[in-house]
Amino acid sequence: MTGLASSTLLLLRKELQIELRTREIVVTTGLFATLIAVLASLSFYVDPDSALRVAPGVLWTAIAFAGVLAMGRSWSREREHDVIRALLLAPVPRAAIYLSKAIASCVFLFIVELVLLVEIAVLYNIALGAVLGPLLALVGLGTIGFCAAGTLFSALSVKSRAREMMLAVVVFPVVTPALLCGVVGTRELFLGATFSELTGWLALLGAFDLALLAAGIVLFDPLMAD
Amino acid sequence: MAEDAARADAGPILAVTALLERGTKEIEVRLHVEARTIGPPNPRRKERSAAAETDVIWRRVALDFDRVQTRDLVKLYGSTRALASVGIELPAGRITAIEGANGSGKSTLLQILALQARPTRGEVRFGAHDPVRVPELRATIGLLAHAALLYPDLTAIENLELSAKLYALPDVPRTIAGMRERFELGAFAERQVRTYSRGQLQRVALARALMHTPRLLLLDEPSTGLDVRGVERLITVMKEERARGAIIALVTHDTSLAEACADARIQLVSGRVAAPERAA
């Protein structure tokens, strides 16, 4: 069998190649996230003080919905022409399929998040420069956990007929801890917490990421088998 | 490094010997590969390439088999019985048609043979091997379905290249060039698969399914939607694969296709083998 690392890279290259050609995931999820940010700012922005409290919720809500959209679309590529059957037949570790999807989803979501952070800063009057480092750490770690769990269970949508229900019922409860850590950590940051005061949230997110990645690598094969 | 070089030198001779002992029909192809492996004395890159090819041959010799058998296969989906005590044998060098109406269990049987579904009871054997315990056996399977199993946003060449690399085939460009020639993949192969006609799709799908010279070839309703020319090409390819010693399972409800090429026919009715195998 081809090794895990080499086959993951091979499949990741394929994911990026298709996205570079179609741009459908980044563009559609980017527009969707922008829409959420704009609508929420029109509805919730009262004054700069309330904006600081609302912005974290808007940021992570946009990330969550954009992420589910991105992962659903990513797996639907495997459904088209039933190509997942060929992929499952290939002599590569099945964990490579999971890892390549998870990494690709992270990359696509990071791109969307960079745009989203600028929009949130403008719409909610937040000085990004002062919080950029810790904010990127929170968003980065939260996204890894979100993609690790989301990719695993979105994969079920390839085999399930109740795809949308599967995402709502299974994915959101599993990614909730990552989202909660992200929202609370971001709120504390916007309200003036220092980097050292956030290390607890960052450590929790890191541990959550590792646990979910390990679970994904171990569980993907049995989940896809029958 | 020295070990690799030594193995590259000794491997070809031993591999050919093993193949001779097995008396397979693939010997000419193998000898051709071995000749290239021994090749002109040259730099390290050639040695590494030779070692890689020899490894591929070694793996194939170790995992080779001349028949696929199922014993008492039962498959339940909840309370629905898709297969009931199915026992069949698919020998090398024969095309076995598995026929039946919709819902008779044909596709379930094929999924189990393709190791993409697990039987509730019973077992599948690839020669002496238990495919559940030897996941490497997946590399010996070629699957052609009604769906093309290709990424529509990639070109045919990119799809074939991806497949060749996933199967760790040596000399990918040469392999793809061979497939292009065999299946007449002309200029359209540089376009995205999404733009192909059904006939073009089928040619690329055949190339993808066969490029790693699978021992077991599974065909799932391959003639659906094809015109006469497409069906003729399919039959020709099946006969070529039979001649090289492949084990071919053709799942179809197209009686004329089965009559045209099958050596044996199995009828499934409500998940059971309805009649003993019969020659076509």
Side-chain angles (χ1 to χ4, degrees):
Chain A
M1 276 204 181
T2 314
L4 178 63
S6 58
S7 40
T8 301
L9 284 175
L10 192 59
L11 292 170
L12 177 61
R13 185 170 165 267
K14 177 264 297 175
E15 296 288 334
L16 300 178
Q17 191 177 13
I18 292 176
E19 183 56 24
L20 274 174
R21 191 160 294 168
T22 62
R23 294 188 172 86
E24 61 181 339
I25 291 179
V26 171
V27 171
T28 52
T29 55
L31 286 173
F32 185 65
T34 300
L35 185 68
I36 292 174
V38 171
L39 290 181
S41 78
L42 291 174
S43 177
F44 298 132
Y45 191 99
V46 180
D47 53 58
D49 191 42
S50 66
L52 287 177
R53 297 174 188 280
V54 170
V58 176
L59 173 68
W60 285 95
T61 303
I63 289 173
F65 285 116
V68 168
L69 191 66
M71 286 180 275
R73 180 60 205 140
S74 177
W75 280 108
S76 76
R77 284 175 177 163
E78 309 301 328
R79 264 202 317 271
E80 211 173 348
H81 286 205
D82 224 359
V83 71
I84 187 69
R85 292 179 75 187
L87 214 49
L88 291 174
L89 207 52
V92 295
R94 286 184 174 163
I97 303 172
Y98 162 77
L99 279 174
S100 63
K101 283 277 177 200
I103 296 170
S105 296
C106 275
V107 171
F108 302 151
L109 215 47
F110 283 145
I111 295 169
V112 171
E113 285 163 358
L114 288 178
V115 178
L116 185 64
L117 284 176
V118 174
E119 290 169 349
I120 294 274
V122 172
L123 293 169
Y124 294 87
N125 196 24
I126 292 166
L128 265 190
V131 295
L132 192 59
L135 184 59
L136 284 178
L138 280 168
V139 169
L141 287 173
T143 303
I144 291 170
F146 183 72
C147 289
T151 300
L152 178 63
F153 292 102
S154 300
L156 290 175
S157 69
V158 176
K159 305 191 106 183
S160 167
R161 288 183 185 170
R163 293 178 189 109
E164 282 69 29
M165 201 173 87
M166 179 71 70
L167 288 176
V169 171
V170 180
V171 176
F172 279 122
V174 175
V175 299
T176 295
L179 292 177
L180 289 179
C181 289
V183 170
V184 177
T186 308
R187 186 193 65 198
E188 299 300 312
L189 179 66
F190 284 179
L191 293 179
T194 60
F195 188 80
S196 59
E197 288 171 319
L198 292 172
T199 48
W201 292 114
L202 292 170
L204 200 57
L205 277 172
F208 188 68
D209 292 353
L210 288 176
L212 282 174
L213 276 172
I217 290 168
V218 173
L219 291 178
F220 183 76
D221 190 6
L223 277 177
M224 292 308 284
D226 210 4
Chain B
M1 195 61 210
E3 277 180 22
D4 284 348
R7 194 173 173 191
D9 288 336
I13 297 157
L14 292 172
V16 168
T17 309
L19 283 170
L20 279 169
E21 284 170 358
R22 285 168 174 267
T24 70
K25 293 181 181 177
E26 294 181 55
I27 192 66
E28 286 181 18
V29 179
R30 295 284 175 255
L31 281 170
H32 176 67
V33 175
E34 298 307 332
R36 280 191 298 100
T37 308
I38 293 163
N42 203 5
R44 289 181 176 178
R45 198 166 70 82
K46 286 216 181 249
E47 277 178 22
R48 278 200 299 272
S49 166
E53 281 197 38
T54 310
D55 280 346
V56 169
I57 292 163
W58 266 113
R59 280 206 306 270
R60 286 185 155 242
V61 170
L63 292 175
D64 204 9
F65 51 92
D66 63 359
R67 63 195 57 242
V68 169
Q69 289 172 300
T70 71
R71 283 194 207 116
D72 293 326
L73 274 191
V74 174
K75 180 66 181 175
L76 301 174
Y77 291 107
S79 59
T80 307
R81 186 181 291 263
L83 293 176
S85 199
V86 171
I88 60 169
E89 182 171 313
L90 309 170
R94 284 174 78 187
I95 300 172
T96 306
I98 301 169
E99 300 170 86
N102 289 342
S104 59
K106 308 186 298 289
S107 294
T108 302
L109 178 57
L110 191 102
Q111 281 188 321
I112 291 173
L113 291 174
L115 313 180
Q116 293 183 340
R118 290 176 186 157
T120 309
R121 281 202 303 276
E123 64 170 1
V124 179
R125 304 290 294 188
F126 285 17
H129 308 291
D130 178 355
V132 176
R133 292 173 188 275
V134 190
E136 287 84 357
L137 281 167
R138 294 206 304 259
T140 65
I141 300 171
L143 177 64
L144 180 72
H146 170 53
L149 316 187
L150 299 165
Y151 288 101
D153 294 311
L154 298 181
T155 67
I157 300 301
E158 288 165 345
N159 269 290
L160 293 179
E161 194 176 298
L162 174 66
S163 190
K165 287 178 178 170
L166 288 173
Y167 280 86
L169 299 182
D171 202 348
V172 172
R174 193 171 52 88
T175 306
I176 292 176
M179 288 292 121
R180 284 190 79 165
E181 192 181 334
R182 182 179 178 191
F183 295 103
E184 300 167 28
L185 307 181
F188 76 87
E190 312 282 351
R191 293 200 323 258
Q192 286 181 31
V193 165
R194 190 178 291 289
T195 64
Y196 292 1
S197 68
R198 176 79 180 108
Q200 289 171 332
L201 262 182
Q202 191 221 24
R203 275 143 71 187
V204 183
L206 275 168
R208 188 205 54 76
L210 298 174
M211 71 189 308
H212 58 291
T213 52
R215 169 61 85 188
L216 174 60
L217 181 58
L218 302 171
L219 306 154
D220 187 6
E221 305 284 8
S223 62
T224 310
L226 290 180
D227 59 14
V228 177
R229 174 87 181 87
V231 175
E232 283 172 359
R233 184 186 303 110
L234 179 66
I235 292 171
T236 305
V237 170
M238 278 195 282
K239 288 180 176 173
E240 286 170 358
E241 293 301 305
R242 175 177 61 188
R244 80 164 169 85
I247 300 165
I248 303 174
L250 167 65
V251 167
T252 185
H253 59 253
D254 182 348
T255 311
S256 59
L257 178 67
E259 282 171 355
C261 60
D263 303 302
R265 296 168 70 178
I266 297 169
Q267 190 77 30
L268 282 182
V269 177
S270 302
R272 292 178 187 278
V273 177
E277 291 182 35
R278 61 183 194 271

